[in-house]
Amino acid sequence: MTKKIFLKAIFIVVSLLFVIWNTSGEAEELESAQSQNAELHALFDSYSRFLESFYPKPDHDDESLRKGGFMNVSPEAYQQRARQLMEFLNRLNQFDYSQLSNVDQVNYKMFEFQLNSAVDNIRFESYLFPMFGDTGFYFELLRMGQTAHFKNKREAEFYIEKLEAIPEFLRQWQANLERAIQSGKVLPAFVLIDFEKPLNTLITEKVEQNPLLEPLPQLDKVLDKRSATDLKKRAIAAVRNSVQPAISSFINFLTQKYIVAGRQSIAITDMPGGKDYYQSQIRYYTTLDLTAEDIHNIGLKEVARIRAEMEDVIKASGFTGSFAEFVEFLRTDPQFYAKTPEDLLKEAAYISKKMDGALPKFFTRLPRQPYGVEPVPESIAPRYTTGRYVGAPLDSTRPGLYWVNTYALDKRPLYVLEALTLHEAVPGHHLQSALTKELDNLPEFRRNSYLSAYGEGWALYCEKLGIEAGFYQNYFSQFGRLTYEMWRAIRLVVDTGMHAKGWSRDKAIEFMESNTALSKHNVRTEIDRYIAWPGQALSYKMGEIKIVELRKKAELDLGQKFDIRLFHDEILRHGPVTLPILESEINRWIEQQKE
């Protein structure tokens, strides 16, 4: 063998050994990464079971998790949860983030965000607050009879057990509210006016007419006659002998002790620990590390920009009066208001259907779950917001619902109905949340979660998307859309103003009334909502600003390659994520589109 051939042979052998060693190393790294991803998802599954254990369900294998009907809301239970949440955080920190796949890096960050937020809420005792915005803790009771559907005997029995658990549920809440009074964490008096009134609907002279007993006829469909009769008697006895007396006693407590203890200050920062609590709520609802001052200034700039656009619409319409006179015209002219609740619902349904037909222009994936249009229930309508989306599980017998408030029709202008519908139904909340439920690649804790900056930011973005979809064809509806965008921009100013900068309720009301065409009833309802729910109102505009910013970047970077349908699909395919995560993923998508 010549020296040249010998050296070549040595080179080949060494090269083969290097390839074998390198491939073996890559295989070990891959195996390690796969193992870590599997362990991470095992942790997610454990967390999902932890969350499920809070809520008794009829199909739990563990009998102890079927009893009670309601989540334990005692301080002791919350402190135990906080310890368990910290344990999950400690386990999460043991993973090597850099070795996770891109998908699981997103899951990791979302898990970390959710755990930290939950710990903060317990640390600041937010569970002592009986309402957030226009929704009280007892609203579940108000709709309990309407939403109950029995498919089998176990579900029927569970409903009766839940009825029987209402007195204990109210006892725990009364103990919490007594603790709130003692610790100075009572809600402001303004937002507690008539707080107890919806509960009056659950006390009826004829027990059989109580809304909680509305599902009883279903028993005849899932049980034999004798069993159905026995359960009906048990349910009626529970409502007569324990539920109605417990509700009556709780109403007395609210009116005689809790409501009268309402604090005069509206600022959450005036409450013990309030400054740190408000900052935690800003971080949770915007998912950004901004101060109240930062957000206040962003809001003022947005208000100025939108106000200029509103002035342009007034000028283009030919109206010769001032801004205030144009707003007063919109608020008072009968042509802008439905005459009957049915008229308002029909108009909302028509707009919904019109948008349904435009969806394929903007999305390649559409949800399977349908949605309906219904009025806000009478029992809560007077204090409720103008509209809302109420979701449903994918396996539910009911659809998602777009609620339209038909109370006080002279306060529900038609010129904002297009924007409201696109926000609450499609392509807003229903489309986004229904698609999220179909994302099989998401861990359970993410598929059933909601993140306000993402969800509300998306829904507000969808209002503006209506321009491209052919809506807002007259000056009044154009002004109505701008009124809704202004409404969300003003939230940045008044929420931070009231909770961090010493604004009074009257100053916040005047600022909103003078810059929007919202009815005065709506303005007061909204301001009181922000007082009761610090920080949440910041999520809408901050989320929309980020989505608009990302779209502009994608259009600029991709040029003719930009496809609006693929952009929207990318926004929605990750499920709810923080705004920094969304920005990172869209930037990654832009680079992929370039290639």
Side-chain angles (χ1 to χ4, degrees):
M1 179 183 295
T2 65
K3 184 177 180 180
K4 187 175 181 180
I5 294 174
F6 175 77
L7 290 175
K8 189 172 183 180
I10 292 293
F11 174 78
I12 292 172
V13 170
V14 171
S15 298
L16 287 172
L17 288 173
F18 176 78
V19 169
I20 292 170
W21 173 82
N22 194 48
T23 303
S24 176
E26 288 180 351
E28 287 177 3
E29 287 183 6
L30 179 60
E31 184 177 349
S32 175
Q34 289 175 337
S35 174
Q36 185 170 234
N37 287 342
E39 290 175 13
L40 182 64
H41 280 267
L43 181 61
F44 295 156
D45 291 341
S46 177
Y47 180 67
S48 293
R49 291 192 295 272
F50 166 70
L51 293 180
E52 287 177 4
S53 69
F54 299 166
Y55 304 98
K57 291 182 179 180
D59 55 355
H60 267 305
D61 294 331
D62 185 345
E63 184 179 354
S64 65
L65 297 180
R66 295 201 303 264
K67 291 182 177 179
F70 297 94
M71 184 177 80
N72 187 337
V73 295
S74 68
E76 296 76 18
Y78 274 105
Q79 294 310 313
Q80 173 62 23
R81 284 168 204 152
R83 289 189 288 272
Q84 292 171 291
L85 289 166
M86 289 305 300
E87 188 177 322
F88 278 110
L89 267 172
N90 292 334
R91 291 168 62 186
L92 180 67
N93 290 334
Q94 294 173 13
F95 288 88
D96 184 350
Y97 175 82
S98 65
Q99 293 299 310
L100 296 172
S101 65
N102 173 248
V103 171
D104 275 334
Q105 285 183 344
V106 171
N107 289 331
Y108 179 104
K109 286 185 177 180
M110 285 304 303
F111 193 47
E112 183 178 47
F113 180 84
Q114 187 164 320
L115 290 173
N116 280 318
S117 299
V119 169
D120 275 352
N121 276 332
I122 295 174
R123 180 162 61 94
F124 290 111
E125 296 186 310
S126 63
Y127 54 85
L128 298 184
F129 300 147
M131 66 184 295
F132 289 97
D134 47 23
T135 303
F137 75 92
Y138 56 71
F139 277 33
E140 179 184 0
L141 303 183
L142 301 179
R143 299 192 66 234
M144 200 168 134
Q146 295 175 334
T147 58
H149 297 283
F150 312 143
K151 295 191 289 288
N152 52 53
K153 180 181 179 181
R154 180 59 235 157
E155 291 184 354
E157 291 174 337
F158 180 77
Y159 184 79
I160 309 305
E161 292 167 3
K162 192 166 184 176
L163 282 178
E164 295 169 337
I166 289 176
E168 172 60 18
F169 175 66
L170 295 177
R171 187 201 65 76
Q172 286 189 350
W173 262 105
Q174 181 167 328
N176 282 349
L177 297 185
E178 288 171 345
R179 179 186 177 102
I181 294 172
Q182 294 167 2
S183 61
K185 294 185 176 181
V186 181
L187 289 174
F190 275 119
V191 301
L192 292 174
I193 297 171
D194 296 335
F195 178 59
E196 82 290 352
K197 283 192 173 179
L199 282 169
N200 288 324
T201 63
L202 299 180
I203 299 176
T204 56
E205 187 174 346
K206 292 183 179 180
V207 176
E208 293 78 6
Q209 295 177 355
N210 193 295
L212 293 167
L213 300 178
E214 186 177 326
L216 293 192
Q218 297 180 43
L219 296 176
D220 297 321
K221 299 178 181 179
V222 296
L223 299 172
D224 60 79
K225 187 174 182 179
R226 180 175 179 179
S227 297
T229 300
D230 289 345
L231 273 188
K232 287 177 183 178
K233 289 180 179 179
R234 181 177 160 189
I236 292 171
V239 172
R240 177 187 289 116
N241 301 328
S242 60
V243 175
Q244 289 199 158
I247 293 173
S248 179
S249 175
F250 187 72
I251 289 173
N252 288 336
F253 164 75
L254 287 176
T255 55
Q256 295 173 20
K257 292 187 177 181
Y258 184 76
I259 293 176
V260 295
R263 53 189 171 87
Q264 293 308 303
S265 167
I266 61 173
I268 194 69
T269 48
D270 288 341
M271 191 186 70
K275 289 184 179 179
D276 289 339
Y277 176 63
Y278 188 49
Q279 186 58 51
S280 77
Q281 297 306 286
I282 290 175
R283 186 166 52 250
Y284 175 68
Y285 284 113
T286 69
T287 72
L288 301 169
D289 289 323
L290 296 174
T291 66
E293 188 70 24
D294 294 333
I295 293 174
H296 192 82
N297 291 332
I298 291 170
L300 289 174
K301 289 179 182 177
E302 281 292 280
V303 167
R305 177 187 64 79
I306 300 166
R307 178 63 180 257
E309 291 187 33
M310 296 171 91
E311 297 279 7
D312 289 342
V313 171
I314 295 174
K315 184 177 180 180
S317 74
F319 189 84
T320 56
S322 66
F323 183 93
E325 289 170 332
F326 187 72
V327 168
E328 184 64 16
F329 163 61
L330 293 179
R331 284 178 177 155
T332 58
D333 195 300
Q335 68 173 302
F336 300 122
Y337 298 87
K339 292 182 173 56
T340 68
E342 291 74 20
D343 289 343
L344 184 60
L345 291 171
K346 285 179 180 178
E347 186 65 23
Y350 168 73
I351 296 168
S352 300
K353 198 61 187 173
K354 180 180 176 182
M355 189 64 227
D356 280 343
L359 292 177
K361 298 177 184 177
F362 300 100
F363 306 89
T364 67
R365 292 182 62 249
L366 298 175
R368 298 189 302 271
Q369 188 181 52
Y371 68 96
V373 181
E374 292 187 2
V376 172
E378 283 185 34
S379 60
I380 60 176
R383 292 171 59 91
Y384 209 70
T385 189
T386 191
R388 179 155 292 168
Y389 176 69
V390 182
L394 283 181
D395 61 353
S396 175
T397 58
R398 63 183 177 86
L401 292 175
Y402 163 31
W403 275 2
V404 179
N405 201 332
T406 56
Y407 172 81
L409 286 175
D410 59 337
K411 308 296 188 295
R412 314 294 175 190
L414 295 171
Y415 50 79
V416 299
L417 195 58
E418 285 182 325
L420 176 68
T421 302
L422 270 55
H423 182 109
E424 303 294 347
V426 292
H429 286 319
H430 173 72
L431 184 141
Q432 179 266 309
S433 63
L435 281 177
T436 297
K437 291 168 191 167
E438 296 177 11
L439 293 175
D440 295 333
N441 63 323
L442 292 186
E444 191 70 19
F445 84 91
R446 288 195 56 208
R447 193 157 55 248
N448 295 319
S449 67
Y450 185 75
L451 206 55
S452 199
Y454 174 87
E456 298 298 349
W458 167 258
L460 179 53
Y461 165 80
C462 288
E463 294 178 24
K464 191 172 291 184
L465 190 63
I467 299 172
E468 298 169 65
F471 290 84
Y472 316 120
Q473 290 299 305
N474 61 60
Y475 295 116
F476 305 122
S477 62
Q478 289 174 32
F479 195 87
R481 184 198 69 77
L482 287 169
T483 277
Y484 262 34
E485 186 179 5
M486 176 68 91
W487 173 21
R488 279 44 168 265
I490 285 173
R491 287 173 172 178
L492 302 183
V493 180
V494 299
D495 193 288
T496 54
M498 291 188 294
H499 290 297
K501 295 177 71 65
W503 280 36
S504 68
R505 178 175 179 267
D506 287 343
K507 182 175 180 178
I509 288 173
E510 192 279 330
F511 189 78
M512 183 173 283
E513 281 185 353
S514 63
N515 283 291
T516 75
L518 293 174
S519 72
K520 294 185 177 183
H521 173 83
N522 276 357
V523 168
R524 281 156 179 74
T525 297
E526 287 298 314
I527 293 298
D528 288 347
R529 174 185 163 196
Y530 313 150
I531 294 171
W533 201 356
Q536 191 273 344
L538 308 176
S539 58
Y540 300 69
K541 193 62 183 165
M542 296 308 297
E544 183 251 6
I545 287 172
K546 178 57 66 177
I547 294 173
V548 170
E549 173 191 309
L550 293 174
R551 177 170 169 178
K552 287 180 179 177
K553 183 179 189 303
E555 289 174 332
L556 182 64
D557 288 1
L558 296 178
Q560 292 184 341
K561 282 188 175 182
F562 178 78
D563 185 328
I564 187 64
R565 300 196 306 163
L566 298 183
F567 173 77
H568 290 154
D569 289 351
E570 184 65 20
I571 291 283
L572 298 174
R573 82 174 182 87
H574 302 283
V577 290
T578 64
L579 299 182
I581 292 174
L582 182 63
E583 182 171 16
S584 176
E585 293 305 304
I586 291 298
N587 285 337
R588 182 191 302 274
W589 174 78
I590 290 172
E591 293 306 313
Q592 290 173 345
Q593 295 300 302
K594 286 180 180 178
E595 295 171 4

